[in-house]
Amino acid sequence: MSKKRALITGVTGQDGSYLAEFLLAKGYEVTGMVRRSSSENFERISHLVDQIDLRQADLLDQFSLVNIIKDVAPQEVYNLAAQSFVPTSFSQPLLTAEFTALGVTRILEAIRLVDPSIRFYQASSSEMFGKVHESPQRETTPFYPRSPYGVAKLYGHWITVNYRESYDLFACSGILFNHESPRRGREFVTRKIAESAARISRGLADKLFLGNMDARRDWGYAPEYVEAMWLMLQQDQPKDYVIGTGGQNTPQEFCEHAFAHLGLDYRDHVRVDPNLLRPAEVEHLLADARLAEEELGWKPRTTFRELVEIMVDAELERIQEKRSARGI
């Protein structure tokens, strides 16, 4: 029996790298789609480059998407590529729309034209709930996005529903709440806190500047969330699912745990910078993932405190590796 083939867009990102690992462990042949760039950033998948097939294509280029799907002939496509940093979406709203909204249409259209039997996963986001109408948020909660990123994700979500209903594609979305790991981008608040706490504990920095310390988020552990993506594509019928922990914490609480893990008091080092506040804030997000537990058999396993400690410990290891490389 031949191996299943999967195509992952955004394979060099946090989720893409964990999903590639997960699918390889399941015996898949994995192709990762990467954009042509003058400087390649394969840091998150450096340990996988000899196990996966990397091919160039672009969510802005319809022809390249048609070609990669023809050439790879995957049974499953996971669309994780996007402009995914909310603050950047305010300064680059049009680019965010091109990648995060219209890019979804282009890849769905490529699937429809080349092989409608392909199963498609779209990475939706809890940011679509925005100014929440009810709490916790479930699959039927109305959307009210509060950023160009959230609006673009909402377009991608609804166009996936539209192609499912219009062309009978197996197309589904995971409405994933915040999920973090040591592979999170350095611009994201969780990685920023973990890295700064580690550097401060080693005398490499003294202060950390953050924006809104009171926004409440449902934070989970990214490697567990990619399993939910895969489970969605193994069902008999395509459906959208909320994925989250059902718990809420703030950046302030993240700071408290991160610094306390290192024997420090965050209040001695963390300052609020008004310049880091968003034009429109999402005040609280909280997942109701009961449907995923009932139908997919998925639920989170890592606690918030464990997640914080995993990220801080990883930053300490990075510091030590750099020092060892310099012979310090």
Side-chain angles (χ1 to χ4, degrees):
M1 184 177 176
S2 60
K3 289 184 175 183
K4 268 191 175 180
R5 292 181 301 278
L7 172 64
I8 304 171
T9 75
V11 73
T12 60
Q14 170 188 258
D15 290 6
S17 64
Y18 284 122
L19 179 61
E21 288 177 348
F22 179 86
L23 294 178
L24 287 170
K26 289 284 184 184
Y28 279 65
E29 292 180 3
V30 177
T31 297
M33 190 181 97
V34 294
R35 299 182 67 210
R36 173 72 179 90
S37 174
S38 57
S39 59
E40 295 177 335
N41 182 11
F42 293 165
E43 178 186 355
R44 296 184 184 93
I45 58 168
S46 59
H47 61 300
L48 300 175
V49 291
D50 59 345
Q51 300 176 61
I52 63 178
D53 178 22
L54 294 177
R55 301 201 184 196
Q56 290 183 359
D58 199 310
L59 287 181
L60 302 187
D61 183 359
Q62 181 74 59
F63 189 65
S64 71
L65 296 174
V66 169
N67 278 344
I68 195 172
I69 290 173
K70 278 183 179 178
D71 293 344
V72 174
Q75 285 86 36
E76 298 173 1
V77 172
Y78 296 84
N79 183 38
L80 310 185
Q83 191 302 100
S84 58
F85 189 46
V86 172
T88 297
S89 76
F90 284 102
S91 60
Q92 298 183 357
L94 297 181
L95 184 66
T96 299
E98 285 288 351
F99 279 113
T100 309
L102 293 179
V104 185
T105 311
R106 294 187 187 102
I107 198 163
L108 281 166
E109 187 66 4
I111 289 170
R112 185 183 74 84
L113 293 171
V114 176
D115 181 3
S117 72
I118 291 171
R119 296 191 169 205
F120 175 76
Y121 172 84
Q122 166 59 15
S124 287
S125 168
S126 60
E127 287 284 330
M128 301 186 309
F129 292 120
K131 190 175 181 180
V132 298
H133 285 235
E134 64 178 1
S135 193
Q137 295 86 55
R138 54 184 65 88
E139 290 79 7
T140 56
T141 300
F143 298 117
Y144 194 139
R146 297 269 283 169
S147 66
Y149 169 77
V151 172
K153 276 293 185 184
L154 185 53
Y155 176 98
H157 180 82
W158 279 118
I159 201 67
T160 300
V161 172
N162 184 260
Y163 269 69
R164 178 169 73 215
E165 296 179 350
S166 299
Y167 304 113
D168 198 29
L169 297 185
F170 193 107
C172 61
S173 295
I175 307 173
L176 271 57
F177 281 63
N178 296 65
H179 46 290
E180 317 298 318
S181 77
R183 298 182 192 172
R184 193 51 139 157
R186 295 179 68 191
E187 69 273 22
F188 287 85
V189 67
T190 51
R191 175 75 186 278
K192 190 175 179 181
I193 294 169
E195 181 180 28
S196 295
R199 286 176 56 80
I200 289 169
S201 76
R202 295 298 184 262
L204 300 173
D206 182 58
K207 291 290 184 289
L208 165 61
F209 294 94
L210 298 174
N212 188 346
M213 295 281 282
D214 300 318
R216 304 192 67 80
R217 292 292 184 270
D218 185 327
W219 274 309
Y221 188 36
E224 297 169 2
Y225 284 48
V226 301
E227 180 183 7
M229 300 175 188
W230 176 78
L231 285 168
M232 290 180 209
L233 295 197
Q234 313 314 307
Q235 304 306 300
D236 292 333
Q237 298 295 326
K239 191 183 289 187
D240 306 324
Y241 293 90
V242 162
I243 302 297
T245 71
Q248 258 188 348
N249 294 97
T250 64
Q252 178 175 315
E253 290 170 319
F254 202 106
C255 287
E256 289 175 4
H257 290 307
F259 281 83
H261 184 54
L262 300 169
L264 300 171
D265 187 334
Y266 82 98
R267 290 170 294 186
D268 295 332
H269 305 281
V270 178
R271 301 290 181 269
V272 172
D273 181 353
N275 294 320
L276 297 176
L277 298 174
R278 297 182 187 179
E281 183 60 84
V282 175
E283 295 299 340
H284 65 98
L285 294 171
L286 179 63
D288 179 352
R290 284 178 294 179
L291 187 67
E293 182 175 353
E294 292 167 3
E295 298 189 0
L296 304 179
W298 181 91
K299 57 182 179 180
R301 300 180 293 276
T302 303
T303 68
F304 175 70
R305 184 185 292 271
E306 289 168 342
L307 168 64
V308 175
E309 293 178 358
I310 287 169
M311 294 185 68
V312 172
D313 289 344
E315 296 302 332
L316 292 175
E317 288 180 18
R318 287 188 175 109
I319 291 171
Q320 185 56 48
E321 287 172 1
K322 288 179 181 177
R323 285 180 166 176
S324 296
R326 297 193 201 107
I328 299 174

